[in-house]
Amino acid sequence: MSDQFNSCELTSSNTPERGLMVVPVGKSDKMDCEEKPIFSVMGGGEGGVKQRVFRDTFATSGGAVSPTSDTESGIFSAECELCVEHEAELDWFCGTERKLICPHCATVGSCQGHAVVPLSTRVSAVRNQLVDVCEKIQLQALRIQKFIDQTLTVKEQKLQVPVAASRAREQVLAQVSAAREALEEEEQRLLEEVQSEEERVEQCLLTQRAHWSQALESLSQTRSRLVHTLTHTPDAQLVNSVEDIAERVEQAEGVGEPCDTEQLNLKPSCSDSKLLKGLWATAVLLGPNAYGSPDLTFDPRTVSPLLSLSSDLCTLTFLHKRPRHSPPYDPARFDCWPNALGSVSMSSGTHSWMVDVGQSAAFKVGVCYPSLERKGSGNEARLGYNSESWVVSRYDGDYSFCHDGRKVPLQVVRRPERIGVLLDWSSQTLVFYEAESRAVLYSVTQQFTAPLLPACAVTDRSITILH
């Protein structure tokens, strides 16, 4: 053994399982406090060595390891091991069996032909790998510290100062204030318009009453005079009074006939407001109770043979080919037009529902009277082409409102994915609403004379009632 290992001895352990153990001896039995162990390798190779301890210290410049010799690198600075079989220094490393070996083991022994390297090379590689790992950990720690210092701390400060929260609150308050101000102005405008219209109607009624009261009095006087002439005038004088009688008759005929006109009624437009109607529709169709009653489905008895109805009774799908077996005859079923009616009759209160039309390029959505014709290919059973149905239609890329054969073109900003229908029975108002842009597509106010049913038609893909 060389002189550099003269501070080590091999002693036998009293425990048979442990074999030989390296025991350091020399100036002091205590390990130098500055020479802390880097790692320990527990192994069970053929040499009978069960424990190996390396000690070294990093160079002061960045922890780099650059040994110039085995002695300087501290490979065997305190401990040494010998091969039991060849009694030579274990200064090589077998990568195949991952254990320390002597040169004889590598050339003629059990590790002949294995991947072996000098121990110093192996140690340098391990140390350099540890240095790389430590550097990566240090960089990761720096990034984490930077995130804590520059991101979390700043955001915590902003939250404590409540700048972001204050801005969010201010934005909400500003939007609500603007909406409230607009609503108050619209309310004032509509109330003034309604009051003005009310005063106009009252004045018309007073004028009409005064006029027709005067005309009635004039007619009464004329009739009384004519009756007096008829009963009290002698025949000879009566004959000479023909011109006077004709004049009085002409005066009576000039009074004219009274008739009811629109001028005697409040104009429905006096309370019409796109702003209020849009907000009202938004609140009803997109509010907490959006999409109306969960009981609303399509009535299977009304579904045309050209359509298929889903199991949940909410989706209509157009069939390009008629089914071989037609559904049983039902007087409520449409037999020619691809129509279907809803299951809920509406004759009071407020009703709303939403229909998903995003997949279809040809459809109709609206309402109709229950008395709508179901049989035949005439317009009497065609939605929007008679006086008993009101629908919004899409066909050939164009949108329109259809009623009684008349079409009103609709301008849409974007293709509607969902169309909402809102019926307020008390005001006799029907509104068609586009959910994505929150825009009123069309609204109609008229006197409905019978209960209404939801009505739909589709000739491309499918449409669905949403719940």
Side-chain angles (χ1 to χ4, degrees):
M1 184 181 303
S2 62
D3 295 338
Q4 59 179 331
F5 301 115
N6 57 6
S7 61
C8 300
E9 290 185 358
L10 289 175
T11 60
S12 298
S13 171
N14 294 329
T15 306
E17 292 80 359
R18 296 182 61 184
L20 296 177
M21 173 178 285
V22 178
V23 180
V25 294
K27 298 179 181 179
S28 174
D29 292 339
K30 295 183 179 180
M31 184 181 295
D32 191 343
C33 63
E34 294 182 357
E35 294 183 347
K36 299 179 181 179
I38 297 300
F39 57 89
S40 298
V41 179
M42 301 302 295
E46 293 181 3
V49 180
K50 295 295 183 179
Q51 182 179 12
R52 174 170 51 86
V53 180
F54 293 95
R55 295 184 303 164
D56 197 6
T57 55
F58 282 92
T60 57
S61 58
V65 178
S66 56
T68 58
S69 66
D70 292 350
T71 304
E72 292 178 355
S73 63
I75 298 174
F76 296 120
S77 59
E79 295 88 17
C80 64
E81 299 174 2
L82 293 179
C83 177
V84 175
E85 182 179 358
H86 303 105
E87 295 185 354
E89 294 181 2
L90 299 174
D91 54 1
W92 285 76
F93 178 78
C94 177
T96 304
E97 297 188 9
R98 305 192 64 81
K99 66 178 183 178
L100 293 177
I101 62 175
C102 71
H104 303 290
C105 293
T107 55
V108 296
S110 59
C111 294
Q112 183 180 2
H114 290 183
V116 297
V117 294
L119 180 57
S120 59
T121 303
R122 175 63 180 173
V123 170
S124 297
V126 173
R127 290 184 181 277
N128 290 333
Q129 185 178 5
L130 288 176
V131 171
D132 292 340
V133 171
C134 292
E135 289 178 351
K136 291 180 180 179
I137 294 175
Q138 184 179 8
L139 292 176
Q140 184 181 9
L142 291 175
R143 290 193 297 270
I144 294 175
Q145 188 64 43
K146 182 178 179 181
F147 176 77
I148 294 174
D149 294 341
Q150 298 184 4
T151 303
L152 296 182
T153 302
V154 173
K155 291 186 180 296
E156 288 173 353
Q157 292 175 352
K158 288 183 178 180
L159 186 61
Q160 291 174 358
V161 173
V163 176
S166 296
R167 288 179 181 175
R169 293 189 186 95
E170 290 174 359
Q171 183 178 1
V172 171
L173 293 176
Q175 291 176 349
V176 172
S177 177
R180 184 183 293 112
E181 183 178 353
L183 285 175
E184 290 176 353
E185 292 179 358
E186 187 72 358
E187 178 187 14
Q188 185 65 26
R189 182 187 71 80
L190 290 175
L191 292 178
E192 291 177 358
E193 191 167 343
V194 170
Q195 183 177 357
S196 176
E197 183 67 9
E198 182 184 18
E199 292 175 354
R200 183 194 65 78
V201 173
E202 288 179 352
Q203 186 62 38
C204 285
L205 292 174
L206 290 175
T207 301
Q208 290 285 315
R209 181 177 291 277
H211 170 76
W212 291 111
S213 296
Q214 184 179 357
L216 180 62
E217 183 179 356
S218 176
L219 286 176
S220 299
Q221 292 176 0
T222 300
R223 179 179 178 278
S224 297
R225 289 175 183 177
L226 291 176
V227 170
H228 183 271
T229 299
L230 177 64
T231 56
H232 294 86
T233 302
D235 295 342
Q237 187 178 355
L238 182 62
V239 173
N240 295 327
S241 302
V242 172
E243 293 183 359
D244 181 58
I245 293 173
E247 181 179 352
R248 293 183 182 279
V249 171
E250 182 180 0
Q251 181 180 1
E253 292 177 347
V255 172
E257 292 292 333
C259 63
D260 188 7
T261 65
E262 293 296 330
Q263 296 297 322
L264 300 179
N265 301 319
L266 281 172
K267 294 180 180 179
S269 60
C270 71
S271 60
D272 190 17
S273 168
K274 290 184 178 180
L275 175 62
L276 287 182
K277 192 168 291 183
L279 290 174
W280 172 54
T282 301
V284 174
L285 291 169
L286 301 181
N289 299 321
Y291 300 171
S293 171
D295 299 330
L296 177 59
T297 58
F298 290 111
D299 184 356
R301 297 176 58 243
T302 67
V303 177
S304 165
L306 299 173
L307 305 174
S308 68
L309 182 62
S310 62
S311 58
D312 62 358
L313 308 182
C314 292
T315 298
L316 294 175
T317 302
F318 179 69
L319 302 175
H320 293 280
K321 295 183 180 180
R322 281 181 174 268
R324 291 185 178 181
H325 304 287
S326 299
Y329 176 82
D330 195 307
R333 190 182 310 281
F334 293 92
D335 61 353
C336 290
W337 295 107
N339 302 339
L341 304 184
S343 58
V344 176
S345 177
M346 300 168 289
S347 59
S348 63
T350 300
H351 302 267
S352 64
W353 63 97
M354 192 79 72
V355 181
D356 185 350
V357 296
Q359 297 184 9
S360 178
F363 61 84
K364 293 178 181 178
V365 175
V367 296
C368 70
Y369 289 139
S371 58
L372 181 70
E373 181 62 45
R374 313 296 173 88
K375 307 302 180 182
S377 58
N379 287 339
E380 294 79 9
R382 190 179 183 185
L383 294 178
Y385 283 79
N386 48 68
S387 61
E388 297 190 354
S389 58
W390 299 257
V391 295
V392 163
S393 169
R394 183 193 180 191
Y395 186 73
D396 283 343
D398 296 327
Y399 294 85
S400 59
F401 170 76
C402 303
H403 171 64
D404 203 12
R406 295 186 297 271
K407 289 185 177 182
V408 179
L410 303 179
Q411 300 296 329
V412 296
V413 178
R414 53 182 293 180
R415 192 184 85 172
E417 295 289 332
R418 296 174 295 163
I419 291 182
V421 183
L422 175 59
L423 173 65
D424 183 58
W425 193 264
S426 61
S427 63
Q428 297 285 278
T429 301
L430 177 66
V431 178
F432 296 92
Y433 183 83
E434 201 274 298
E436 278 68 30
S437 62
R438 290 173 171 77
V440 174
L441 296 174
Y442 194 81
S443 65
V444 56
T445 301
Q446 78 170 65
Q447 192 69 29
F448 297 111
T449 58
L452 293 172
L453 290 172
C456 293
V458 58
T459 56
D460 177 65
R461 299 186 183 180
S462 62
I463 59 175
T464 303
I465 295 177
L466 299 176
H467 288 152

